[in-house]
Amino acid sequence: MLNKIYLQTKAAIEELVEKASLKPGQTVVVGCSTSEVLGARIGTNSSPEAAEQIFRALHAYTQSRGLYLAVQCCEHLNRAIILERSAAANAETVNVVPQPKAGGSLATAAYAGFADPVAVEQIRADAGLDIGLTLIGMHLKSVAVPVRLENNCIGDALVVAARTRPKFIGGIRAVYDNELL
């Protein structure tokens, strides 16, 4: 089961990066309920083992593409973000170390797996994966656009993806990717 979780995560992040046309230096935010991955209700069956597989897949792929990975904590830590210090730039850091049932298993794995982890209250990411309906929208740039993934499940959890785009402003209707907005 853990190998399947790793492979499904790898497929989802690869597909998101490709479909969102992400470039080096951009940020991907990920929220995850390992409880949902394992078929339980969010917040009821946290799994550090599943989180480790998910983190390994996400971290290896984003690093190989020159992307920043940001991992959202659970609501107990107000959905704070764990990321590498180098990705935090000028963001104000906060003092917190996530734990499996206070921050979430994936945030805990990220804190342990990053070379120089920090926590911040908020970011504005370029794209994101929401594994198990954890609500990552508050950490995306202003205009989020759904990305329909074929690889839309990790374990039993539904995976929802998004990318962002610049705002269209002005007095005329805008067309983006052949869609009238």
mmCIF file of all heavy atoms in Angstrom, residues 122-176:
data_model
loop_
_atom_site.group_PDB
_atom_site.id
_atom_site.type_symbol
_atom_site.label_atom_id
_atom_site.label_comp_id
_atom_site.label_asym_id
_atom_site.label_seq_id
_atom_site.Cartn_x
_atom_site.Cartn_y
_atom_site.Cartn_z
ATOM 1 N N GLN A 122 1.506 32.400 5.992
ATOM 2 C CA GLN A 122 0.851 32.381 4.691
ATOM 3 C C GLN A 122 1.850 32.548 3.561
ATOM 4 O O GLN A 122 2.938 33.077 3.752
ATOM 5 C CB GLN A 122 -0.206 33.477 4.600
ATOM 6 C CG GLN A 122 0.340 34.867 4.772
ATOM 7 C CD GLN A 122 -0.767 35.903 4.808
ATOM 8 O OE1 GLN A 122 -1.940 35.571 4.894
ATOM 9 N NE2 GLN A 122 -0.389 37.151 4.735
ATOM 10 N N ILE A 123 1.443 32.058 2.396
ATOM 11 C CA ILE A 123 2.207 32.239 1.169
ATOM 12 C C ILE A 123 1.210 32.507 0.047
ATOM 13 O O ILE A 123 -0.013 32.427 0.262
ATOM 14 C CB ILE A 123 3.072 31.008 0.810
ATOM 15 C CG1 ILE A 123 2.190 29.764 0.603
ATOM 16 C CG2 ILE A 123 4.150 30.760 1.848
ATOM 17 C CD1 ILE A 123 2.908 28.612 -0.046
ATOM 18 N N ARG A 124 1.728 32.755 -1.127
ATOM 19 C CA ARG A 124 0.919 32.892 -2.338
ATOM 20 C C ARG A 124 1.562 31.992 -3.380
ATOM 21 O O ARG A 124 2.434 32.402 -4.137
ATOM 22 C CB ARG A 124 0.865 34.348 -2.817
ATOM 23 C CG ARG A 124 0.110 35.246 -1.885
ATOM 24 C CD ARG A 124 -1.390 34.958 -2.014
ATOM 25 N NE ARG A 124 -2.147 35.652 -0.988
ATOM 26 C CZ ARG A 124 -2.915 35.044 -0.097
ATOM 27 N NH1 ARG A 124 -3.035 33.743 -0.092
ATOM 28 N NH2 ARG A 124 -3.586 35.734 0.773
ATOM 29 N N ALA A 125 1.133 30.748 -3.413
ATOM 30 C CA ALA A 125 1.730 29.741 -4.286
ATOM 31 C C ALA A 125 1.197 29.848 -5.709
ATOM 32 O O ALA A 125 0.115 30.379 -5.957
ATOM 33 C CB ALA A 125 1.462 28.342 -3.731
ATOM 34 N N ASP A 126 1.965 29.286 -6.634
ATOM 35 C CA ASP A 126 1.635 29.302 -8.055
ATOM 36 C C ASP A 126 0.725 28.147 -8.463
ATOM 37 O O ASP A 126 0.056 28.224 -9.489
ATOM 38 C CB ASP A 126 2.927 29.244 -8.878
ATOM 39 C CG ASP A 126 3.835 30.406 -8.552
ATOM 40 O OD1 ASP A 126 3.503 31.542 -8.947
ATOM 41 O OD2 ASP A 126 4.862 30.198 -7.863
ATOM 42 N N ALA A 127 0.716 27.084 -7.680
ATOM 43 C CA ALA A 127 -0.097 25.908 -7.971
ATOM 44 C C ALA A 127 -0.222 25.104 -6.686
ATOM 45 O O ALA A 127 0.501 25.354 -5.713
ATOM 46 C CB ALA A 127 0.532 25.062 -9.073
ATOM 47 N N GLY A 128 -1.136 24.131 -6.696
ATOM 48 C CA GLY A 128 -1.292 23.339 -5.493
ATOM 49 C C GLY A 128 -1.996 22.022 -5.713
ATOM 50 O O GLY A 128 -2.722 21.836 -6.696
ATOM 51 N N LEU A 129 -1.734 21.118 -4.794
ATOM 52 C CA LEU A 129 -2.422 19.830 -4.710
ATOM 53 C C LEU A 129 -3.120 19.767 -3.363
ATOM 54 O O LEU A 129 -2.505 20.019 -2.329
ATOM 55 C CB LEU A 129 -1.433 18.656 -4.784
ATOM 56 C CG LEU A 129 -0.817 18.292 -6.109
ATOM 57 C CD1 LEU A 129 0.171 17.139 -5.922
ATOM 58 C CD2 LEU A 129 -1.877 17.928 -7.133
ATOM 59 N N ASP A 130 -4.388 19.421 -3.394
ATOM 60 C CA ASP A 130 -5.169 19.253 -2.184
ATOM 61 C C ASP A 130 -5.540 17.777 -2.105
ATOM 62 O O ASP A 130 -6.371 17.299 -2.876
ATOM 63 C CB ASP A 130 -6.404 20.146 -2.277
ATOM 64 C CG ASP A 130 -7.220 20.167 -1.001
ATOM 65 O OD1 ASP A 130 -7.279 19.126 -0.309
ATOM 66 O OD2 ASP A 130 -7.814 21.208 -0.713
ATOM 67 N N ILE A 131 -4.894 17.071 -1.204
ATOM 68 C CA ILE A 131 -5.076 15.632 -1.073
ATOM 69 C C ILE A 131 -6.025 15.361 0.097
ATOM 70 O O ILE A 131 -5.655 15.551 1.248
ATOM 71 C CB ILE A 131 -3.716 14.923 -0.838
ATOM 72 C CG1 ILE A 131 -2.727 15.271 -1.951
ATOM 73 C CG2 ILE A 131 -3.909 13.416 -0.698
ATOM 74 C CD1 ILE A 131 -1.286 14.912 -1.638
ATOM 75 N N GLY A 132 -7.256 14.989 -0.215
ATOM 76 C CA GLY A 132 -8.225 14.697 0.836
ATOM 77 C C GLY A 132 -9.055 15.897 1.254
ATOM 78 O O GLY A 132 -9.583 15.939 2.364
ATOM 79 N N LEU A 133 -9.188 16.890 0.382
ATOM 80 C CA LEU A 133 -10.061 18.053 0.607
ATOM 81 C C LEU A 133 -9.709 18.816 1.877
ATOM 82 O O LEU A 133 -10.538 19.035 2.760
ATOM 83 C CB LEU A 133 -11.528 17.623 0.582
ATOM 84 C CG LEU A 133 -11.941 16.838 -0.666
ATOM 85 C CD1 LEU A 133 -13.388 16.405 -0.575
ATOM 86 C CD2 LEU A 133 -11.681 17.629 -1.932
ATOM 87 N N THR A 134 -8.463 19.274 1.950
ATOM 88 C CA THR A 134 -7.957 19.996 3.117
ATOM 89 C C THR A 134 -8.033 21.510 2.974
ATOM 90 O O THR A 134 -7.677 22.227 3.898
ATOM 91 C CB THR A 134 -6.490 19.597 3.390
ATOM 92 O OG1 THR A 134 -5.706 19.938 2.249
ATOM 93 C CG2 THR A 134 -6.370 18.125 3.691
ATOM 94 N N LEU A 135 -8.457 22.007 1.820
ATOM 95 C CA LEU A 135 -8.669 23.428 1.570
ATOM 96 C C LEU A 135 -7.371 24.248 1.568
ATOM 97 O O LEU A 135 -7.042 24.932 2.526
ATOM 98 C CB LEU A 135 -9.675 24.019 2.564
ATOM 99 C CG LEU A 135 -11.061 23.373 2.553
ATOM 100 C CD1 LEU A 135 -11.933 23.977 3.639
ATOM 101 C CD2 LEU A 135 -11.708 23.518 1.196
ATOM 102 N N ILE A 136 -6.667 24.201 0.437
ATOM 103 C CA ILE A 136 -5.406 24.930 0.287
ATOM 104 C C ILE A 136 -5.582 26.312 -0.324
ATOM 105 O O ILE A 136 -4.627 27.064 -0.441
ATOM 106 C CB ILE A 136 -4.403 24.147 -0.585
ATOM 107 C CG1 ILE A 136 -4.968 23.929 -1.997
ATOM 108 C CG2 ILE A 136 -3.991 22.850 0.089
ATOM 109 C CD1 ILE A 136 -3.966 23.460 -3.019
ATOM 110 N N GLY A 137 -6.799 26.677 -0.702
ATOM 111 C CA GLY A 137 -7.041 27.899 -1.454
ATOM 112 C C GLY A 137 -6.489 29.160 -0.832
ATOM 113 O O GLY A 137 -6.090 30.082 -1.537
ATOM 114 N N MET A 138 -6.443 29.234 0.484
ATOM 115 C CA MET A 138 -5.946 30.434 1.146
ATOM 116 C C MET A 138 -4.463 30.674 0.875
ATOM 117 O O MET A 138 -3.971 31.771 1.116
ATOM 118 C CB MET A 138 -6.190 30.355 2.655
ATOM 119 C CG MET A 138 -5.393 29.284 3.370
ATOM 120 S SD MET A 138 -5.846 29.058 5.101
ATOM 121 C CE MET A 138 -5.035 30.443 5.854
ATOM 122 N N HIS A 139 -3.765 29.669 0.351
ATOM 123 C CA HIS A 139 -2.335 29.802 0.092
ATOM 124 C C HIS A 139 -1.995 29.879 -1.394
ATOM 125 O O HIS A 139 -0.832 29.759 -1.774
ATOM 126 C CB HIS A 139 -1.571 28.669 0.759
ATOM 127 C CG HIS A 139 -1.643 28.723 2.247
ATOM 128 N ND1 HIS A 139 -1.171 29.791 2.976
ATOM 129 C CD2 HIS A 139 -2.161 27.861 3.146
ATOM 130 C CE1 HIS A 139 -1.377 29.576 4.260
ATOM 131 N NE2 HIS A 139 -1.975 28.409 4.387
ATOM 132 N N LEU A 140 -3.007 30.075 -2.229
ATOM 133 C CA LEU A 140 -2.776 30.254 -3.657
ATOM 134 C C LEU A 140 -2.874 31.733 -4.016
ATOM 135 O O LEU A 140 -3.547 32.502 -3.322
ATOM 136 C CB LEU A 140 -3.817 29.473 -4.470
ATOM 137 C CG LEU A 140 -3.734 27.958 -4.381
ATOM 138 C CD1 LEU A 140 -4.965 27.326 -5.014
ATOM 139 C CD2 LEU A 140 -2.470 27.454 -5.049
ATOM 140 N N LYS A 141 -2.223 32.121 -5.094
ATOM 141 C CA LYS A 141 -2.367 33.487 -5.583
ATOM 142 C C LYS A 141 -3.829 33.756 -5.898
ATOM 143 O O LYS A 141 -4.634 32.834 -6.028
ATOM 144 C CB LYS A 141 -1.487 33.697 -6.814
ATOM 145 C CG LYS A 141 -0.014 33.709 -6.471
ATOM 146 C CD LYS A 141 0.835 33.919 -7.701
ATOM 147 C CE LYS A 141 2.313 33.944 -7.315
ATOM 148 N NZ LYS A 141 3.181 33.994 -8.488
ATOM 149 N N SER A 142 -4.164 35.028 -6.078
ATOM 150 C CA SER A 142 -5.563 35.477 -6.158
ATOM 151 C C SER A 142 -6.441 34.762 -7.175
ATOM 152 O O SER A 142 -7.592 34.480 -6.891
ATOM 153 C CB SER A 142 -5.617 36.971 -6.447
ATOM 154 O OG SER A 142 -5.097 37.675 -5.345
ATOM 155 N N VAL A 143 -5.950 34.485 -8.370
ATOM 156 C CA VAL A 143 -6.802 33.875 -9.384
ATOM 157 C C VAL A 143 -6.389 32.417 -9.576
ATOM 158 O O VAL A 143 -5.412 32.109 -10.261
ATOM 159 C CB VAL A 143 -6.750 34.640 -10.719
ATOM 160 C CG1 VAL A 143 -7.707 34.011 -11.725
ATOM 161 C CG2 VAL A 143 -7.088 36.114 -10.503
ATOM 162 N N ALA A 144 -7.134 31.521 -8.937
ATOM 163 C CA ALA A 144 -6.858 30.086 -9.029
ATOM 164 C C ALA A 144 -7.741 29.474 -10.110
ATOM 165 O O ALA A 144 -8.911 29.815 -10.232
ATOM 166 C CB ALA A 144 -7.114 29.407 -7.694
ATOM 167 N N VAL A 145 -7.141 28.577 -10.874
ATOM 168 C CA VAL A 145 -7.835 27.914 -11.975
ATOM 169 C C VAL A 145 -7.749 26.404 -11.734
ATOM 170 O O VAL A 145 -6.655 25.880 -11.496
ATOM 171 C CB VAL A 145 -7.170 28.270 -13.323
ATOM 172 C CG1 VAL A 145 -7.858 27.569 -14.470
ATOM 173 C CG2 VAL A 145 -7.158 29.781 -13.528
ATOM 174 N N PRO A 146 -8.867 25.679 -11.785
ATOM 175 C CA PRO A 146 -8.811 24.230 -11.574
ATOM 176 C C PRO A 146 -7.947 23.542 -12.633
ATOM 177 O O PRO A 146 -7.944 23.936 -13.795
ATOM 178 C CB PRO A 146 -10.264 23.770 -11.719
ATOM 179 C CG PRO A 146 -11.094 24.995 -11.690
ATOM 180 C CD PRO A 146 -10.230 26.141 -12.074
ATOM 181 N N VAL A 147 -7.233 22.528 -12.202
ATOM 182 C CA VAL A 147 -6.481 21.664 -13.112
ATOM 183 C C VAL A 147 -7.080 20.272 -12.954
ATOM 184 O O VAL A 147 -7.029 19.692 -11.868
ATOM 185 C CB VAL A 147 -4.973 21.640 -12.778
ATOM 186 C CG1 VAL A 147 -4.240 20.635 -13.659
ATOM 187 C CG2 VAL A 147 -4.369 23.028 -12.923
ATOM 188 N N ARG A 148 -7.660 19.773 -14.009
ATOM 189 C CA ARG A 148 -8.286 18.459 -13.952
ATOM 190 C C ARG A 148 -7.214 17.387 -14.142
ATOM 191 O O ARG A 148 -6.582 17.300 -15.191
ATOM 192 C CB ARG A 148 -9.341 18.345 -15.040
ATOM 193 C CG ARG A 148 -10.374 19.436 -14.931
ATOM 194 C CD ARG A 148 -11.767 18.902 -15.014
ATOM 195 N NE ARG A 148 -12.742 19.970 -15.020
ATOM 196 C CZ ARG A 148 -13.293 20.470 -13.921
ATOM 197 N NH1 ARG A 148 -12.932 20.010 -12.749
ATOM 198 N NH2 ARG A 148 -14.182 21.437 -13.995
ATOM 199 N N LEU A 149 -7.014 16.607 -13.106
ATOM 200 C CA LEU A 149 -6.001 15.552 -13.139
ATOM 201 C C LEU A 149 -6.629 14.209 -13.479
ATOM 202 O O LEU A 149 -7.701 13.872 -12.973
ATOM 203 C CB LEU A 149 -5.318 15.429 -11.771
ATOM 204 C CG LEU A 149 -4.567 16.633 -11.224
ATOM 205 C CD1 LEU A 149 -3.980 16.295 -9.862
ATOM 206 C CD2 LEU A 149 -3.479 17.083 -12.186
ATOM 207 N N GLU A 150 -5.938 13.446 -14.307
ATOM 208 C CA GLU A 150 -6.326 12.045 -14.496
ATOM 209 C C GLU A 150 -5.922 11.248 -13.267
ATOM 210 O O GLU A 150 -6.604 10.311 -12.881
ATOM 211 C CB GLU A 150 -5.684 11.491 -15.763
ATOM 212 C CG GLU A 150 -6.291 12.075 -17.020
ATOM 213 C CD GLU A 150 -5.738 11.443 -18.279
ATOM 214 O OE1 GLU A 150 -5.386 10.243 -18.235
ATOM 215 O OE2 GLU A 150 -5.678 12.153 -19.295
ATOM 216 N N ASN A 151 -4.796 11.612 -12.665
ATOM 217 C CA ASN A 151 -4.301 10.975 -11.443
ATOM 218 C C ASN A 151 -4.893 11.736 -10.255
ATOM 219 O O ASN A 151 -4.200 12.485 -9.576
ATOM 220 C CB ASN A 151 -2.772 11.021 -11.415
ATOM 221 C CG ASN A 151 -2.181 10.272 -12.579
ATOM 222 O OD1 ASN A 151 -2.293 9.064 -12.650
ATOM 223 N ND2 ASN A 151 -1.570 10.992 -13.513
ATOM 224 N N ASN A 152 -6.194 11.535 -10.018
ATOM 225 C CA ASN A 152 -6.897 12.353 -9.043
ATOM 226 C C ASN A 152 -7.231 11.626 -7.733
ATOM 227 O O ASN A 152 -8.109 12.060 -6.997
ATOM 228 C CB ASN A 152 -8.161 12.947 -9.653
ATOM 229 C CG ASN A 152 -9.162 11.894 -10.065
ATOM 230 O OD1 ASN A 152 -8.909 10.701 -9.939
ATOM 231 N ND2 ASN A 152 -10.304 12.325 -10.555
ATOM 232 N N CYS A 153 -6.523 10.562 -7.446
ATOM 233 C CA CYS A 153 -6.673 9.858 -6.169
ATOM 234 C C CYS A 153 -5.305 9.433 -5.660
ATOM 235 O O CYS A 153 -4.446 9.024 -6.432
ATOM 236 C CB CYS A 153 -7.548 8.618 -6.310
ATOM 237 S SG CYS A 153 -9.282 8.985 -6.556
ATOM 238 N N ILE A 154 -5.134 9.565 -4.363
ATOM 239 C CA ILE A 154 -3.981 8.987 -3.681
ATOM 240 C C ILE A 154 -4.566 8.152 -2.562
ATOM 241 O O ILE A 154 -5.241 8.684 -1.667
ATOM 242 C CB ILE A 154 -3.005 10.065 -3.159
ATOM 243 C CG1 ILE A 154 -2.420 10.857 -4.346
ATOM 244 C CG2 ILE A 154 -1.907 9.429 -2.307
ATOM 245 C CD1 ILE A 154 -1.550 12.027 -3.954
ATOM 246 N N GLY A 155 -4.361 6.848 -2.644
ATOM 247 C CA GLY A 155 -5.072 5.956 -1.737
ATOM 248 C C GLY A 155 -6.556 6.166 -1.956
ATOM 249 O O GLY A 155 -7.030 6.174 -3.090
ATOM 250 N N ASP A 156 -7.297 6.400 -0.860
ATOM 251 C CA ASP A 156 -8.732 6.649 -0.954
ATOM 252 C C ASP A 156 -9.074 8.142 -1.013
ATOM 253 O O ASP A 156 -10.248 8.499 -1.038
ATOM 254 C CB ASP A 156 -9.455 6.024 0.246
ATOM 255 C CG ASP A 156 -9.502 4.511 0.154
ATOM 256 O OD1 ASP A 156 -9.347 3.965 -0.950
ATOM 257 O OD2 ASP A 156 -9.691 3.868 1.213
ATOM 258 N N ALA A 157 -8.069 8.998 -1.009
ATOM 259 C CA ALA A 157 -8.305 10.444 -0.978
ATOM 260 C C ALA A 157 -8.462 11.023 -2.374
ATOM 261 O O ALA A 157 -7.680 10.718 -3.277
ATOM 262 C CB ALA A 157 -7.163 11.150 -0.261
ATOM 263 N N LEU A 158 -9.439 11.882 -2.518
ATOM 264 C CA LEU A 158 -9.612 12.643 -3.743
ATOM 265 C C LEU A 158 -8.532 13.717 -3.800
ATOM 266 O O LEU A 158 -8.210 14.348 -2.791
ATOM 267 C CB LEU A 158 -10.997 13.292 -3.756
ATOM 268 C CG LEU A 158 -11.360 14.123 -4.972
ATOM 269 C CD1 LEU A 158 -11.372 13.253 -6.225
ATOM 270 C CD2 LEU A 158 -12.718 14.771 -4.774
ATOM 271 N N VAL A 159 -7.957 13.931 -4.980
ATOM 272 C CA VAL A 159 -6.936 14.958 -5.174
ATOM 273 C C VAL A 159 -7.514 16.033 -6.087
ATOM 274 O O VAL A 159 -7.967 15.743 -7.192
ATOM 275 C CB VAL A 159 -5.646 14.376 -5.792
ATOM 276 C CG1 VAL A 159 -4.630 15.481 -6.053
ATOM 277 C CG2 VAL A 159 -5.061 13.302 -4.875
ATOM 278 N N VAL A 160 -7.505 17.254 -5.604
ATOM 279 C CA VAL A 160 -7.947 18.413 -6.363
ATOM 280 C C VAL A 160 -6.717 19.269 -6.611
ATOM 281 O O VAL A 160 -5.899 19.468 -5.708
ATOM 282 C CB VAL A 160 -9.023 19.210 -5.593
ATOM 283 C CG1 VAL A 160 -9.449 20.448 -6.364
ATOM 284 C CG2 VAL A 160 -10.221 18.322 -5.290
ATOM 285 N N ALA A 161 -6.577 19.782 -7.831
ATOM 286 C CA ALA A 161 -5.398 20.562 -8.182
ATOM 287 C C ALA A 161 -5.798 21.924 -8.739
ATOM 288 O O ALA A 161 -6.900 22.092 -9.275
ATOM 289 C CB ALA A 161 -4.558 19.810 -9.213
ATOM 290 N N ALA A 162 -4.881 22.872 -8.609
ATOM 291 C CA ALA A 162 -5.114 24.207 -9.146
ATOM 292 C C ALA A 162 -3.786 24.819 -9.569
ATOM 293 O O ALA A 162 -2.730 24.468 -9.060
ATOM 294 C CB ALA A 162 -5.773 25.097 -8.097
ATOM 295 N N ARG A 163 -3.894 25.734 -10.514
ATOM 296 C CA ARG A 163 -2.777 26.594 -10.888
ATOM 297 C C ARG A 163 -3.293 28.014 -10.735
ATOM 298 O O ARG A 163 -4.491 28.228 -10.545
ATOM 299 C CB ARG A 163 -2.327 26.330 -12.324
ATOM 300 C CG ARG A 163 -3.402 26.654 -13.356
ATOM 301 C CD ARG A 163 -2.882 26.531 -14.780
ATOM 302 N NE ARG A 163 -3.935 26.700 -15.758
ATOM 303 C CZ ARG A 163 -4.406 27.873 -16.191
ATOM 304 N NH1 ARG A 163 -3.907 28.994 -15.716
ATOM 305 N NH2 ARG A 163 -5.362 27.926 -17.092
ATOM 306 N N THR A 164 -2.419 28.971 -10.811
ATOM 307 C CA THR A 164 -2.863 30.354 -10.740
ATOM 308 C C THR A 164 -2.454 31.068 -12.015
ATOM 309 O O THR A 164 -1.628 30.579 -12.783
ATOM 310 C CB THR A 164 -2.279 31.073 -9.516
ATOM 311 O OG1 THR A 164 -0.861 31.109 -9.615
ATOM 312 C CG2 THR A 164 -2.700 30.383 -8.225
ATOM 313 N N ARG A 165 -3.066 32.211 -12.236
ATOM 314 C CA ARG A 165 -2.717 33.042 -13.382
ATOM 315 C C ARG A 165 -2.809 34.491 -12.958
ATOM 316 O O ARG A 165 -3.470 34.821 -11.964
ATOM 317 C CB ARG A 165 -3.640 32.760 -14.563
ATOM 318 C CG ARG A 165 -5.098 33.116 -14.288
ATOM 319 C CD ARG A 165 -5.853 33.343 -15.584
ATOM 320 N NE ARG A 165 -7.247 33.616 -15.369
ATOM 321 C CZ ARG A 165 -7.747 34.788 -14.980
ATOM 322 N NH1 ARG A 165 -6.962 35.809 -14.731
ATOM 323 N NH2 ARG A 165 -9.056 34.939 -14.832
ATOM 324 N N PRO A 166 -2.158 35.381 -13.711
ATOM 325 C CA PRO A 166 -2.280 36.809 -13.386
ATOM 326 C C PRO A 166 -3.726 37.276 -13.548
ATOM 327 O O PRO A 166 -4.480 36.729 -14.351
ATOM 328 C CB PRO A 166 -1.377 37.495 -14.415
ATOM 329 C CG PRO A 166 -0.464 36.430 -14.905
ATOM 330 C CD PRO A 166 -1.234 35.141 -14.816
ATOM 331 N N LYS A 167 -4.084 38.307 -12.799
ATOM 332 C CA LYS A 167 -5.416 38.897 -12.915
ATOM 333 C C LYS A 167 -5.550 39.585 -14.268
ATOM 334 O O LYS A 167 -4.593 40.155 -14.784
ATOM 335 C CB LYS A 167 -5.631 39.955 -11.834
ATOM 336 C CG LYS A 167 -5.688 39.434 -10.444
ATOM 337 C CD LYS A 167 -5.876 40.592 -9.471
ATOM 338 C CE LYS A 167 -5.884 40.117 -8.045
ATOM 339 N NZ LYS A 167 -6.047 41.236 -7.113
ATOM 340 N N PHE A 168 -6.745 39.530 -14.825
ATOM 341 C CA PHE A 168 -7.081 40.345 -15.989
ATOM 342 C C PHE A 168 -7.803 41.575 -15.460
ATOM 343 O O PHE A 168 -8.767 41.452 -14.710
ATOM 344 C CB PHE A 168 -8.004 39.591 -16.954
ATOM 345 C CG PHE A 168 -7.330 38.457 -17.663
ATOM 346 C CD1 PHE A 168 -7.810 37.169 -17.548
ATOM 347 C CD2 PHE A 168 -6.210 38.678 -18.458
ATOM 348 C CE1 PHE A 168 -7.195 36.112 -18.210
ATOM 349 C CE2 PHE A 168 -5.594 37.630 -19.118
ATOM 350 C CZ PHE A 168 -6.079 36.350 -18.995
ATOM 351 N N ILE A 169 -7.331 42.730 -15.840
ATOM 352 C CA ILE A 169 -8.007 43.948 -15.416
ATOM 353 C C ILE A 169 -8.221 44.837 -16.624
ATOM 354 O O ILE A 169 -7.547 44.700 -17.639
ATOM 355 C CB ILE A 169 -7.214 44.696 -14.323
ATOM 356 C CG1 ILE A 169 -5.808 45.057 -14.800
ATOM 357 C CG2 ILE A 169 -7.127 43.856 -13.060
ATOM 358 C CD1 ILE A 169 -5.046 45.938 -13.849
ATOM 359 N N GLY A 170 -9.167 45.726 -16.538
ATOM 360 C CA GLY A 170 -9.446 46.629 -17.639
ATOM 361 C C GLY A 170 -10.885 46.530 -18.078
ATOM 362 O O GLY A 170 -11.687 45.781 -17.515
ATOM 363 N N GLY A 171 -11.222 47.243 -19.139
ATOM 364 C CA GLY A 171 -12.602 47.371 -19.554
ATOM 365 C C GLY A 171 -13.066 46.403 -20.612
ATOM 366 O O GLY A 171 -14.203 46.450 -21.030
ATOM 367 N N ILE A 172 -12.200 45.506 -21.095
ATOM 368 C CA ILE A 172 -12.642 44.576 -22.119
ATOM 369 C C ILE A 172 -12.691 43.168 -21.564
ATOM 370 O O ILE A 172 -12.042 42.857 -20.577
ATOM 371 C CB ILE A 172 -11.718 44.624 -23.363
ATOM 372 C CG1 ILE A 172 -10.298 44.206 -22.988
ATOM 373 C CG2 ILE A 172 -11.732 45.998 -23.999
ATOM 374 C CD1 ILE A 172 -9.397 44.024 -24.181
ATOM 375 N N ARG A 173 -13.452 42.339 -22.221
ATOM 376 C CA ARG A 173 -13.500 40.933 -21.814
ATOM 377 C C ARG A 173 -12.189 40.273 -22.199
ATOM 378 O O ARG A 173 -11.631 40.545 -23.255
ATOM 379 C CB ARG A 173 -14.659 40.215 -22.472
ATOM 380 C CG ARG A 173 -15.983 40.673 -21.963
ATOM 381 C CD ARG A 173 -17.037 39.887 -22.655
ATOM 382 N NE ARG A 173 -18.091 39.625 -21.691
ATOM 383 C CZ ARG A 173 -19.165 38.947 -21.986
ATOM 384 N NH1 ARG A 173 -19.324 38.419 -23.172
ATOM 385 N NH2 ARG A 173 -20.088 38.768 -21.080
ATOM 386 N N ALA A 174 -11.717 39.397 -21.355
ATOM 387 C CA ALA A 174 -10.440 38.734 -21.595
ATOM 388 C C ALA A 174 -10.656 37.287 -22.007
ATOM 389 O O ALA A 174 -11.601 36.638 -21.578
ATOM 390 C CB ALA A 174 -9.587 38.789 -20.332
ATOM 391 N N VAL A 175 -9.780 36.824 -22.853
ATOM 392 C CA VAL A 175 -9.793 35.426 -23.267
ATOM 393 C C VAL A 175 -8.490 34.799 -22.802
ATOM 394 O O VAL A 175 -7.412 35.347 -23.002
ATOM 395 C CB VAL A 175 -9.932 35.284 -24.796
ATOM 396 C CG1 VAL A 175 -9.858 33.836 -25.200
ATOM 397 C CG2 VAL A 175 -11.239 35.906 -25.266
ATOM 398 N N TYR A 176 -8.589 33.655 -22.142
ATOM 399 C CA TYR A 176 -7.416 32.967 -21.631
ATOM 400 C C TYR A 176 -7.530 31.500 -22.010
ATOM 401 O O TYR A 176 -8.546 30.860 -21.733
ATOM 402 C CB TYR A 176 -7.336 33.113 -20.115
ATOM 403 C CG TYR A 176 -6.062 32.605 -19.516
ATOM 404 C CD1 TYR A 176 -4.897 33.347 -19.567
ATOM 405 C CD2 TYR A 176 -6.011 31.346 -18.912
ATOM 406 C CE1 TYR A 176 -3.732 32.881 -19.020
ATOM 407 C CE2 TYR A 176 -4.864 30.882 -18.352
ATOM 408 C CZ TYR A 176 -3.718 31.641 -18.413
ATOM 409 O OH TYR A 176 -2.543 31.163 -17.870
#
